[in-house]
Amino acid sequence: YNVALGNSGTLTLNTIGNYQSEAETSVFNSLNTQMEERFLWDASATWRDVEERYRVTLFMKNILNEYKRLGANSVAGLWNMTIYGRPRTYGLE
């Protein structure tokens, strides 16, 4: 969504959501390779000057602070390598 601010530039508001249902990451159907359903939500606000030479963005990712498995691989049934998503992050660019 873009908001014209006249001589002060523009403000762009953005949000995105991503839903994933339960999934299996391995053909062996191991307990530690199953991914739970999740909903990830990000948002940002970007200001640009009139000439679009400068911009400032305030952002937040994983607003709901979902801590879920993104991927996993069972290694010969002996151990499991798992990748988890990042926690809530925010910043200014």
Side-chain angles (χ1 to χ4, degrees), residues 16 40-44 57-66 86-91 93:
I16 187 169
L40 300 177
W41 178 29
D42 302 340
S44 67
T57 300
L58 178 64
F59 67 89
M60 183 177 285
K61 297 183 179 192
N62 192 7
I63 293 171
L64 302 174
N65 203 26
E66 292 281 338
R86 291 182 173 193
R88 178 185 303 129
T89 57
Y90 51 91
E93 294 180 322

Side-chain angles (χ1 to χ4, degrees), residues 1-88:
Y1 183 73
N2 291 315
V3 179
L5 303 174
N7 291 336
S8 297
T10 59
L11 181 66
T12 302
L13 305 173
N14 185 36
T15 187
I16 187 169
N18 177 286
Y19 172 79
Q20 180 176 321
S21 62
E22 294 177 338
E24 176 58 59
T25 64
S26 171
V27 296
F28 301 111
N29 198 20
S30 171
L31 177 64
N32 294 321
T33 59
Q34 295 174 349
M35 297 188 326
E36 300 170 335
E37 69 176 337
R38 67 176 186 258
F39 178 74
L40 300 177
W41 178 29
D42 302 340
S44 67
T46 301
W47 170 84
R48 289 179 180 82
D49 71 315
V50 176
E51 297 173 0
E52 295 198 19
R53 292 186 316 172
Y54 305 103
R55 73 174 173 89
V56 177
T57 300
L58 178 64
F59 67 89
M60 183 177 285
K61 297 183 179 192
N62 192 7
I63 293 171
L64 302 174
N65 203 26
E66 292 281 338
Y67 184 71
K68 302 290 183 179
R69 181 180 292 130
L70 297 181
N73 188 22
S74 179
V75 181
L78 300 174
W79 68 83
N80 189 57
M81 296 186 312
T82 300
I83 301 168
Y84 287 93
R86 291 182 173 193
R88 178 185 303 129

